């Protein structure tokens, strides 16, 4: 559905006409731009926007179907940018992502949002309170949305870092690492990092192009060159996020390896204890087995002290084995 539609002249808002073609003509004649916001539009709702603004059919297909990677594509009459905002749910410790698509032209911005993450109403209100920035045209909208999305990445990375520290403490406590649910928690945490990484990693290249960094110094159509310092700031924040995600991924892999090593050590300890008890049980079994044989001539068979002597020998051997295993850490 259409969430909002307005014309901006010199950074000031005025309500746009219901006809998109009239709105675009009015914005061009006044030296401003029109900003249309949509949330999960249907094909019929988007057809009118496509016809009036001349959007490329491939970009329109991506905007309708969603499930796209972050990217930047340049067409003849517009610029198409895909961003993936993320939402962190602290109760379930899960990361989910939505999508924001932007079409930028010479005098228009069309934003298409899928999912509930990062509502653009707050971004629009913040821009309307800064008419000097909004006066830069459609580029300011792209910058403000990208800045809001990437800044929220930083918040999510901080939350994940806190969860990882709690998981690390659980694994390395004397008893916590042995829980049967620990491995599943570690694996689930790695899945959340992967979901986060799918949003942040592919965005590095579009931000590099918009910032004009390194070999991507050429300007991007429909984006003012004066906006490069602003996009460099977003690029720097995104770099910090990606470095943080890489660190989290390595740490959680190390924690999983440490947990598996702890489980292996515990299993070896258990096997040593079982073996020690089995050895201690073997001695009385062997001695008792000798006297259980049906032979006529048994050792000390007619000696009246034979029974207590055998019992004492059994007990002495058991104590000797126990002290030996205890000294070697097997029990």
């Amino acid at each position: 559905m259409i969430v909002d539609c307005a014309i901006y002249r010199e950074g000031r808002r005025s309500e746009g006409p219901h006809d998109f073609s009239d709105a675009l003509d009015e914005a061009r004649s006044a030296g401003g731009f029109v900003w249309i916001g949509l949330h999960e539009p249907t094909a019929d709702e988007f057809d009118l926007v496509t016809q009036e603004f001349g959007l490329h059919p491939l970009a329109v297909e991506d905007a309708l179907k969603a499930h796209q990677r972050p990217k930047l594509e340049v067409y003849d009459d517009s610029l198409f940018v895909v961003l993936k905002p993320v939402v962190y749910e602290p109760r379930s410790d899960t990361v989910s992502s939505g999508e924001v698509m932007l079409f930028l032209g010479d005098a228009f911005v069309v934003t298409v949002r899928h999912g509930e993450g990062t509502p653009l109403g707050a971004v629009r209100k913040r821009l309307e309170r800064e008419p000097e920035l909004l006066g830069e045209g459609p580029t300011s909208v792209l910058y403000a949305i990208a800045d809001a999305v990437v800044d929220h990445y930083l918040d999510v990375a901080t939350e994940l870092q806190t969860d990882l520290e709690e998981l690390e403490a659980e694994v390395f406590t004397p008893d916590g690492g042995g829980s049967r649910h620990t491995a599943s928690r570690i694996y689930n945490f790695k899945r959340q990092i992967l979901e986060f990484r799918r949003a942040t990693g592919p965005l590095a290249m579009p931000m590099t192009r918009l910032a004009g960094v390194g070999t991507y110094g050429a300007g991007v159509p429909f984006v003012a060159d004066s906006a490069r310092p602003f996009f460099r700031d977003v690029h720097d924040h995104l770099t910090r996020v990606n470095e943080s995600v890489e660190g989290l991924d390595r740490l959680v892999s190390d924690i999983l390896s440490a947990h598996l090593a702890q489980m292996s050590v515990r299993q070896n300890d258990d096997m040593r204890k079982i073996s020690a008890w089995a050895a201690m049980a073997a001695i009385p079994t062997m001695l008792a087995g000798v006297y259980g044989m049906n032979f006529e001539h048994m050792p000390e068979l007619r000696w009246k002290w034979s029974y207590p002597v055998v019992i004492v020998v059994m007990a002495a051997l058991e104590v000797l084995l126990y002290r030996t295993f205890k000294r070697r850490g097997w029990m």
Side-chain angles (χ1 to χ4, degrees), residues 113-126:
R113 183 166 60 90
H114 291 268
E116 299 301 325
T118 311
L120 299 183
V123 177
R124 187 188 288 259
K125 291 179 180 178
R126 181 169 67 86

Side-chain angles (χ1 to χ4, degrees), residues 58-331:
L58 291 178
V60 171
E61 182 181 359
D62 289 344
L64 288 174
K65 291 185 177 180
H67 304 293
Q68 303 296 314
R69 298 173 73 249
K71 61 182 178 179
L72 183 153
E73 294 180 353
V74 179
Y75 297 102
D76 293 336
D77 299 323
S78 62
L79 181 72
F80 181 58
V81 180
V82 178
L83 305 172
K84 290 183 75 69
V86 296
V87 176
Y88 175 79
E89 179 53 54
R91 293 184 179 179
S92 58
D93 294 336
T94 56
V95 174
S96 59
S97 61
E99 289 183 48
V100 174
M101 286 97 164
L102 295 95
F103 295 87
L104 268 73
D106 58 338
F108 68 87
V109 178
V110 178
T111 56
V112 181
R113 183 166 60 90
H114 291 268
E116 299 301 325
T118 311
L120 299 183
V123 177
R124 187 188 288 259
K125 291 179 180 178
R126 181 169 67 86
L127 275 175
E128 290 175 354
R129 292 194 297 267
E130 302 179 23
E132 293 183 0
L133 178 60
L134 194 55
E136 296 295 328
T139 303
S140 63
V141 178
L142 175 59
Y143 160 71
I145 295 176
D147 184 57
V149 169
V150 173
D151 282 350
H152 192 60
Y153 287 166
L154 291 170
D155 296 335
V156 173
T158 302
E159 295 286 350
L160 289 175
Q161 181 65 43
T162 302
D163 286 347
L164 182 60
E165 291 173 357
E166 294 175 356
L167 185 60
E168 187 176 18
E170 176 184 337
V171 169
F172 289 105
T173 53
D175 299 325
S179 173
R180 62 181 179 178
H181 301 296
T182 302
S184 61
R185 282 197 61 196
I186 296 173
Y187 181 73
N188 181 66
F189 191 83
K190 196 169 182 65
R191 287 181 62 90
Q192 306 315 313
I193 294 177
L194 178 60
E195 181 69 21
F196 192 23
R197 209 169 172 177
R198 287 172 179 164
T200 63
L203 187 58
M205 184 61 69
M207 285 298 109
T208 300
R209 292 183 62 184
L210 291 170
V213 178
T215 57
Y216 300 94
V220 178
F222 309 107
V223 176
D225 292 338
S226 59
R228 286 188 179 185
F230 297 94
F231 285 110
R232 278 199 294 269
D233 180 67
V234 178
H235 179 267
D236 289 342
H237 290 176
L238 182 63
T239 301
R240 286 173 51 196
V241 171
N242 283 327
E243 289 174 351
S244 178
V245 172
E246 289 290 340
L248 289 171
D249 190 49
R250 287 195 299 269
L251 280 174
V252 76
S253 297
D254 292 342
I255 290 174
L256 179 59
S257 299
H259 172 67
L260 294 177
Q262 283 182 328
M263 296 299 294
S264 178
V265 169
R266 287 191 177 95
Q267 289 176 352
N268 289 336
D269 289 341
D270 293 340
M271 288 302 299
R272 285 189 298 182
K273 291 178 180 179
I274 293 172
S275 300
W277 284 110
M280 292 176 64
I283 290 178
T285 302
M286 181 186 67
L287 293 177
V290 171
Y291 291 95
M293 294 184 293
N294 296 320
F295 292 157
E296 181 179 354
H297 301 286
M298 301 292 293
E300 296 84 24
L301 186 61
R302 300 186 182 278
W303 185 35
K304 65 178 181 179
W305 298 105
S306 60
Y307 185 77
V309 168
V310 170
I311 296 298
V312 170
V313 170
M314 287 183 182
L317 290 175
E318 291 293 307
V319 170
L320 178 62
L321 282 177
Y322 179 81
R323 294 184 64 180
T324 301
F325 290 143
K326 191 72 173 179
R327 186 167 55 250
R328 294 185 178 182
W330 283 39
M331 300 188 70

Side-chain angles (χ1 to χ4, degrees), residues 37-71:
L38 303 100
H39 180 231
E40 298 181 356
T42 63
D44 293 336
E45 291 173 337
F46 208 60
D47 278 344
L48 182 60
V49 178
T50 301
Q51 296 171 4
E52 297 297 342
F53 294 96
L55 305 180
H56 197 279
L58 291 178
V60 171
E61 182 181 359
D62 289 344
L64 288 174
K65 291 185 177 180
H67 304 293
Q68 303 296 314
R69 298 173 73 249
K71 61 182 178 179

